Amino acid sequence: MNRYPRDFTGYGAAPVDPKWPNGARIAVQFVLNYEEGGENNILHGDAASEAFLSEIVGAAPWPGQRHWNMESIYDYGARAGFWRLHRLFTQAQVPVTVYGVASALARAPEQVEAMQTAGWEIASHGLKWIDYRDHSEEAEAADMAEAIRLHTEVTGEAPRGWYCGRTSANTVRLAAQTGAFDYVSDTYDDDLPYWSDIAGTEQLIIPYTLDCNDMRFATPQGFNSGDQFYTYLCDTFDALYAEGVAGAAKMMSVGLHCRLIGRPGRVQALARFLEYIKGFEGVWTPRRIEISDHWRSVHPPVACAHPSRMVRAEFVERFGSIFEHSTWIAERAFDLELGPAHDSAAGMHSALARMFRSASHAERLGVLTAHPDLAGKLAAAKSLTAESTSEQASAGLDALTDAERARFTELNTTYVAKHGFPFIIAVKDHTKDGILRAFETRIANDTDTEFTTACKQVERIARIRLDQIL
């Protein structure tokens, strides 16, 4: 099957109401990445020194050597930055989620104790703060299992959340397959949590952020000063808060690192932002696990059809009658590049309509002639398809007076004689009187115009039918 895995649809035009506790208009969630002591280092058995997210912008790995400057920058995060942030958040009474690299936590007993005393959540940030893009599935899965084991040994509790950050294409699936995590955050694709069917497992995803993230102090074209960070956070908050006031509440994640925002020249921006959001009503500042618990309780996963995952026989059986007596349309649609974007009425309609539109004139004419007359002999004999029976009944065409039936018969005969195919209209969009008026108007069209109009009505009927089953 030609299947495309990425999901461009999400919640679409009408996002779900998260129903945050106490009617909150926004959930602002702070993450503190604890990576110091878990980064690339030959002391940790790695091939080279670390080169990512430090004051040395553009740093390169030193193969086989320790990079003293890089190490000391990371050390600052553990020795000074962490404690500055710990004081800030505890005094503000704002709890955080720690993304804790297991090997870093094992080297930081005092910091771990402080996290737990403050009631912070410690989620798993993997075994080591290294890049997994070139790891085999087996090696990455082994590190994931060891991360869970070591995390549990160090903190006394198994992690309920997961964020690797420097992922491979397999990371999210591997995390879901462990069955160990209430949520996974290795995505940046939404402003709300969502459920994802991953390898047959309904996994809760709580997206993270790389824009509201102090990592941009250490990247080209990032934040040069605390004021830039503060302004960006406030602008993000204001936009999402306004959406919440309008009835579409969202989640805002703020990503932090001890060695970056923990510097005195930057931490004031974070302090000002904490003070800023206190000036608004309806601001919830949970840990990520609380978002997970809320979502699981209020928005549990809902079973739904996934056309893009169906085998051919199931697909054709389910959608072969969407275009009247034209299973070939579903058969061709199955061979398209389908994915999550097609697991909805709009998506399936797109796939099926494409095959109808790209068909030959003769094939499309065959679809038109497969449609029954309105209130015709097949209806009287109760020989319509289930879909057509329901549709004609919805407009009262199954309960006509003798005069109405005679008029429909007359119009049907005249229309078919002129155009060579039955009059087709999406009856669910009209009343009986409206259908008659359209019939009387369209019968005068030239055949080319009417062919085009009938094809559009066939597509409209297909969409209505899909709306009823997806």
Side-chain angles (χ1 to χ4, degrees), residues 372-381 384 392 397 405 408-409 412:
D373 291 337
L374 286 182
K377 294 179 180 179
L378 289 179
L384 298 176
Q392 295 204 22
L397 300 185
R405 186 173 294 104
F408 268 105
T409 300
N412 280 326

Side-chain angles (χ1 to χ4, degrees), residues 255-329:
L256 306 168
H257 298 77
C258 302
R259 63 192 176 279
L260 297 177
I261 198 68
R263 292 282 177 175
R266 298 176 182 141
V267 75
Q268 289 300 96
L270 179 60
R272 288 198 298 273
F273 180 67
L274 286 170
E275 190 63 30
Y276 178 75
I277 65 176
K278 287 183 179 179
F280 293 81
E281 294 183 359
V283 178
W284 183 38
T285 55
R287 304 170 302 167
R288 284 176 104 71
I289 193 60
E290 290 161 343
I291 292 176
S292 172
D293 290 343
H294 171 82
W295 210 264
R296 195 172 299 274
S297 173
V298 179
H299 300 287
V302 177
C304 59
H306 294 281
S308 66
R309 300 181 187 180
M310 293 178 180
V311 298
R312 180 181 291 273
E314 181 185 6
F315 186 94
V316 173
E317 180 181 4
R318 187 75 177 273
F319 304 110
S321 62
I322 297 300
F323 282 74
E324 194 85 5
H325 295 296
S326 301
T327 56
W328 60 267
I329 294 178

Side-chain angles (χ1 to χ4, degrees), residues 130-137 140-141 144 164-174 186:
I130 60 175
D131 200 330
Y132 280 91
R133 64 181 179 179
D134 295 325
H135 279 56
S136 68
E137 285 192 44
E140 185 174 4
M144 194 175 290
C164 174
R166 299 164 82 173
T167 63
S168 75
N170 303 311
T171 303
V172 172
R173 175 175 53 80
L174 291 174
D186 270 312

